[in-house]
RNA sequence: GAUCGCGUAGCUCAGCCGGUAGAGCAAGCGCCUUUUAAGCGCUAGGUCCUGGGUUCGAGUCCCAGCGCGAUCACCA
């Protein structure tokens, strides 16, 4: 017997017990534990909200009175609910069963009295396993300890869980299992489902925001013959029928700009990009980006848009958090925790130019070629002699100057060097700088924007220049996109362009420090098939 | 790709200087009509990630590998 079979056999003792139970339910009770459609269900949150204290007290008083005088009538004004959920706690107390069930909206207790349900239902309820999915119906009341619950009068199992569940108090802690078996993580750790519900709501709000601003949502190719729009290494794939090498896109940029040429005034896309690079707490190989282009705008148009967008999302989250704490209005300042930080999203966000930030850290102008070279050498920068002055500046900036930004304050860093911004329009009279900014929050690069370059000749020159320095490996995927140049020759209106890392935004909005915690199924190495 | 850390029951974790593998939860069988990680009694559950090595003896020490995590590199 190989190790995997051995492992399965060990676990199968627990599975076998559940299978045995399943069999007994079918054969002895005539119950089919894999149910069908159920009408009229409400969420556990809705059911909890139906609790009526006075109806509950009247019913209880009536019940007590009936004990003393059996002919007394019990008035029951409690509202009835039909609910479904997964069992996450189960306690049997002789002729009473208490269980906690869970759905996306929260947890709710189901209480069963042997006297109130039929025999089969009570047998099932008393032998229920953690993980089973059940439907219960009855009045919404409370127990002696004040716990709101549905006092079930009907009770059915609608899905029998066969696998042993995680520990009920600690949940599923193993990071690897949490990502590989997200479906278990989601019910074992309620925080997980809340994070992804929040993600969904935030993305929906972003779409509404963009629509209000007059933007059209579009979908452009993810499989591209030429991977353009960013410098990252792409994933390579192949189309059999066309016998054609294709790349998963690293950015939608060049396609979205073609749409401006075609006449769409404001377009955006929220979708996946794929970059064949390292993985860490801020990078997953596939990630979601919002990219937006506004004809006749510029990077300042996009700055205002981004500031409003991020502010509005943060306000929504912060108000919601405040509401949860108390019902007395909301905070005026939208602040959200992120790890040890308390990030303040009040408008306006901080602004500082790339050059100012550089000078603040190094004490001299970034245009000072001698000093830049000197410091770069001292920092033991690789190939320092070969690099262009502005690439040295950029390397120093990334490594040191970025740290000058207050992580608790969203900060726009403006006027990036042109040398590292090939798709950006340079400043008039100061061609070494470009109309480009990046937004930093909590040490993360959250957004990147520029005034788009729409001069076809300058764009062609920049592409050609960039390709000249490329090695063989890079040339394989970064070829000149001649059709894009053609599109610019047809004529693209001036425009502001923007990219926002949605996963990172969700991290900030939900206080998750790892990108894997805001991606439902982060990339994992395949599990061993052998042994 | 580099460095560091982790990998023990289904889950959450102990396991000291190398000396017969431990707990809680979950599971099985009992008892219990107001529990809240319910409680009490009994039972069962292990290729200590894999493969080598050192040793009389390895969960523990060494080497290699696999997986996960963290940091760095890469990501104009």
């Amino acid at each position: 017997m190989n190790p995997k079979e051995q492992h399965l056999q060990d676990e199968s003792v627990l599975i076998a017990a559940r299978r045995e139970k399943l069999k007994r339910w079918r054969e002895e009770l005539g119950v089919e534990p894999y149910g069908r459609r159920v009408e009229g269900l409400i969420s556990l949150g809705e059911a909890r909200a139906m609790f009526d204290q006075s109806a509950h007290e009247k019913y209880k008083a009536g019940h007590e009175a009936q004990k003393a005088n059996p002919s007394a009538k019990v008035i029951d004004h409690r509202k009835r609910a039909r609910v479904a959920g997964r069992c996450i706690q189960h306690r049997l107390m002789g002729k009473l069963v208490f269980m906690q069930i869970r759905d996306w909206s929260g947890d709710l207790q189901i209480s069963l009295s042997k006297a109130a349900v039929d025999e089969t239902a009570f047998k099932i309820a008393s032998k229920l396993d953690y993980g089973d999915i059940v439907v219960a119906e009855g009045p919404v009341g409370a127990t002696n300890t004040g716990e709101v619950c549905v006092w079930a009068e009907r009770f059915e199992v609608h899905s029998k869980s066969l696998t042993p569940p995680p520990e009920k108090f600690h949940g599923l802690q193993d990071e690897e299992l949490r990502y590989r078996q997200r479906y278990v993580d989601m019910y074992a750790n309620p925080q997980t489902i809340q994070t992804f519900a929040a993600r969904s709501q935030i993305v929906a709000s972003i779409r509404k925001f963009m629509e209000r601003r007059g933007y059209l949502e579009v979908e452009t190719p993810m499989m591209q013959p030429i991977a353009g729009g960013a410098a990252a290494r792409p994933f390579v794939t192949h189309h059999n029928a066309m016998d054609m090498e294709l790349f998963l896109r690293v950015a939608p940029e060049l396609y979205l700009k073609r749409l401006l040429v075609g006449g769409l005034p404001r377009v955006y896309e929220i979708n996946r990009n794929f970059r064949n690079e390292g993985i860490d707490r801020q990078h997953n190989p596939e990630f979601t980006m919002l990219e937006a282009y506004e004809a006749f705008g510029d990077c300042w148009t996009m700055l205002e848009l981004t500031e409003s967008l991020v502010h509005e999302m943060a306000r929504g989250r912060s108000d919601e958090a405040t509401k949860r704490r108390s019902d007395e209005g909301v905070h005026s300042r939208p602040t959200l925790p992120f790890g040890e930080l308390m990030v303040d999203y009040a408008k306006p966000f901080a602004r500082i130019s790339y050059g100012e930030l550089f000078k603040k850290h190094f004490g001299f102008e970034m245009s000072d070629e001698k000093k830049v070279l000197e410091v770069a050498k001292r920092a033991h920068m690789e190939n320092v002699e070969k690099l262009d002055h502005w690439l040295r500046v950029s390397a120093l900036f990334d490594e040191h100057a970025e740290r000058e930004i207050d992580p608790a304050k969203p900060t726009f860093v403006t006027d990036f060097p042109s040398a590292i911004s090939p798709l950006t329009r340079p400043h008039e009279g100061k061609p070494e700088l470009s109309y480009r900014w990046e937004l930093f929050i909590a040490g993360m690069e959250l957004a990147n924007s520029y005034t788009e370059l729409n001069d076809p000749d300058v764009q062609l020159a920049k592409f050609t220049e960039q390709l000249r320095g490329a090695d063989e490996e890079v040339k394989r995927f970064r070829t000149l996109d001649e059709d894009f140049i053609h599109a610019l020759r047809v004529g693209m209106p001036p425009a502001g362009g923007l990219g926002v890392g949605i996963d990172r935004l969700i991290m900030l909005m939900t206080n998750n420090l790892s990108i894997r915690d805001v991606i439902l199924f982060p990339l994992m190495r395949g599990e061993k098939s052998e042994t």
Side-chain angles (χ1 to χ4, degrees):
Chain A
M1 189 179 293
N2 71 37
K4 190 147 195 178
E5 280 165 352
Q6 178 69 47
H7 172 79
L8 285 174
Q9 196 183 47
D10 297 336
E11 191 174 350
S12 77
V13 173
L14 298 171
I15 294 173
R18 289 175 172 230
R19 283 197 179 281
E20 183 54 37
K21 195 176 286 182
L22 175 68
K23 196 175 157 205
R24 281 201 309 272
W25 285 357
R26 279 184 171 139
E27 291 176 0
E28 294 169 22
L29 303 177
V31 164
E32 173 49 50
Y34 293 104
R36 300 189 191 283
R37 184 160 91 182
V38 179
E39 301 284 355
L41 288 171
I42 60 172
S43 76
L44 301 183
E46 288 169 318
R48 218 179 308 111
M50 278 165 60
F51 175 67
D52 179 338
Q53 182 72 37
S54 76
H56 164 65
E57 278 166 15
K58 268 183 202 155
Y59 172 79
K60 258 194 94 175
H63 212 259
E64 288 302 314
Q66 197 180 44
K67 272 188 194 164
N69 174 12
S71 66
K73 258 194 156 181
V74 178
I75 302 163
D76 188 358
H77 290 307
R78 296 175 301 173
K79 290 181 189 144
R80 298 178 63 84
R82 182 180 296 174
V83 293
R86 191 185 289 274
C87 174
I88 53 154
Q89 277 182 42
H90 181 260
R91 291 178 284 278
L92 171 65
M93 287 210 48
K95 294 182 179 114
L96 272 182
V97 177
F98 299 100
M99 69 183 73
Q100 204 81 21
I101 65 172
R102 176 171 289 170
D103 74 3
W104 58 272
S105 69
D107 298 351
L108 182 65
Q109 181 166 291
I110 306 296
S111 307
L112 279 98
S113 159
K114 192 173 184 179
V117 293
D118 67 60
E119 201 183 330
T120 301
F122 190 78
K123 275 184 184 162
I124 291 171
S126 57
K127 289 289 181 185
L128 205 73
D129 287 315
Y130 183 18
D132 291 349
I133 295 173
V134 301
V135 170
E137 185 180 344
V140 181
T143 62
N144 286 350
T145 50
E147 176 87 19
V148 172
C149 67
V150 169
W151 282 102
E153 290 168 0
R154 274 185 58 194
F155 181 85
E156 291 161 347
V157 61
H158 278 252
S159 185
K160 182 87 197 77
S161 177
L162 295 177
T163 59
E167 211 256 4
K168 67 180 174 184
F169 183 61
H170 297 93
L172 190 61
Q173 296 296 317
D174 186 299
E175 293 288 306
E176 184 176 351
L177 278 178
R178 288 187 54 226
Y179 301 144
R180 287 192 194 277
Q181 298 188 23
R182 184 66 92 183
Y183 42 88
V184 176
D185 179 36
M186 285 169 75
Y187 89 76
N189 302 317
Q191 186 52 49
T192 302
I193 211 163
Q194 280 169 30
T195 292
F196 289 106
R199 177 175 180 135
S200 177
Q201 284 157 8
I202 292 164
V203 171
S205 302
I206 293 173
R207 289 203 158 95
K208 279 182 211 138
F209 178 95
M210 296 304 283
E211 195 183 348
R212 279 205 305 278
R213 296 259 177 159
Y215 277 81
L216 282 182
E217 183 174 11
V218 296
E219 289 158 284
T220 63
M222 294 204 188
M223 294 197 291
Q224 304 176 345
I226 299 168
R233 287 181 163 67
F235 288 93
V236 187
T237 187
H238 180 260
H239 189 282
N240 288 341
M242 293 179 80
D243 188 22
M244 181 181 169
E245 189 171 58
L246 285 166
F247 304 96
L248 301 191
R249 73 174 181 198
V250 293
E253 172 152 358
L254 303 187
Y255 286 91
L256 291 172
K257 285 181 179 172
R258 283 172 167 96
L259 301 178
L260 295 188
V261 173
L264 290 181
R266 296 179 183 192
V267 290
Y268 77 98
E269 179 162 6
I270 296 178
N271 224 319
R272 229 63 70 76
N273 294 289
F274 309 85
R275 296 189 180 175
N276 208 339
E277 308 283 357
I279 297 176
D280 61 33
R281 292 207 296 178
Q282 293 171 23
H283 297 83
N284 194 59
E286 55 176 313
F287 65 102
T288 300
M289 190 155 69
L290 159 69
E291 265 203 35
Y293 293 86
E294 179 161 336
F296 300 102
D298 62 12
C299 70
W300 310 117
T301 318
M302 305 320 269
L303 185 144
E304 186 282 323
L305 181 136
T306 307
E307 190 176 58
S308 296
L309 176 75
V310 173
H311 175 267
E312 196 173 306
M313 297 306 128
R315 160 131 271 156
R317 291 292 296 169
S318 138
D319 287 356
E320 200 183 300
T322 310
K323 266 189 224 152
R324 272 200 301 273
R325 284 194 297 270
S326 78
D327 286 324
E328 311 158 18
V330 293
H331 274 309
S332 55
R333 277 189 104 72
T335 54
L336 292 172
F338 187 70
E340 303 289 296
L341 297 171
M342 187 52 94
V343 182
D344 185 349
Y345 293 91
K347 287 205 279 188
F349 295 173
R351 276 149 231 227
I352 185 167
S353 78
Y354 195 96
E356 281 174 81
L357 201 55
F358 187 94
K359 192 175 174 186
K360 194 174 167 191
H361 184 81
F362 291 103
F364 56 88
E365 299 289 339
M366 65 176 174
S367 56
D368 190 330
E369 301 204 9
K370 263 192 193 164
K371 284 193 171 159
V372 166
L373 179 60
E374 201 177 293
V375 174
K377 275 184 175 166
R378 221 185 298 145
H380 303 291
M381 198 181 289
E382 271 180 70
N383 301 322
V384 76
E385 301 289 348
K386 278 197 219 160
L387 288 179
D388 170 79
H389 166 69
W390 287 106
L391 293 180
R392 287 176 200 146
V393 168
S394 166
L396 287 175
F397 183 91
D398 288 350
E399 208 161 322
H400 304 287
E402 244 179 65
R403 289 182 209 152
E404 293 290 320
I405 304 167
D406 182 348
K409 279 194 189 138
T411 302
F412 290 105
V413 179
T414 62
D415 305 301
F416 272 58
S418 293
I420 54 170
S421 315
L423 293 153
T424 313
R425 189 191 160 108
H427 281 213
E428 285 93 358
K430 255 194 184 175
E432 69 277 10
L433 296 183
S434 64
Y435 292 111
R436 173 183 176 188
W437 56 257
E438 287 189 359
L439 172 60
F440 290 86
I441 305 178
M444 288 193 289
E445 181 194 328
L446 188 80
N448 182 14
S449 166
Y450 26 91
T451 300
E452 302 299 335
L453 182 57
N454 69 335
D455 180 329
D457 295 334
V458 175
Q459 183 68 85
L460 178 59
K462 282 189 172 252
F463 276 167
T464 311
E465 172 62 28
Q466 208 185 6
L467 283 173
R468 198 172 297 143
D471 58 31
E472 282 310 307
E473 197 229 335
V474 169
K475 273 182 181 154
R476 179 167 166 226
F477 54 81
R478 200 178 301 156
T479 46
L480 180 64
D481 191 336
E482 289 182 36
D483 180 72
F484 176 67
I485 297 295
H486 179 70
L488 290 187
R489 286 187 183 134
V490 169
M492 183 178 92
L498 168 70
V500 179
I502 296 297
D503 310 281
R504 290 179 184 175
L505 179 64
I506 305 297
M507 288 166 67
L508 291 166
M509 296 296 111
T510 60
N511 192 15
N512 277 295
L513 271 50
S514 168
I515 199 168
R516 293 184 202 96
D517 290 321
V518 299
I519 291 176
L520 283 166
F521 300 101
L523 185 71
M524 286 284 175
R525 224 173 268 277
E527 286 187 281
K528 282 180 288 179
S529 54
E530 217 254 326
T531 69

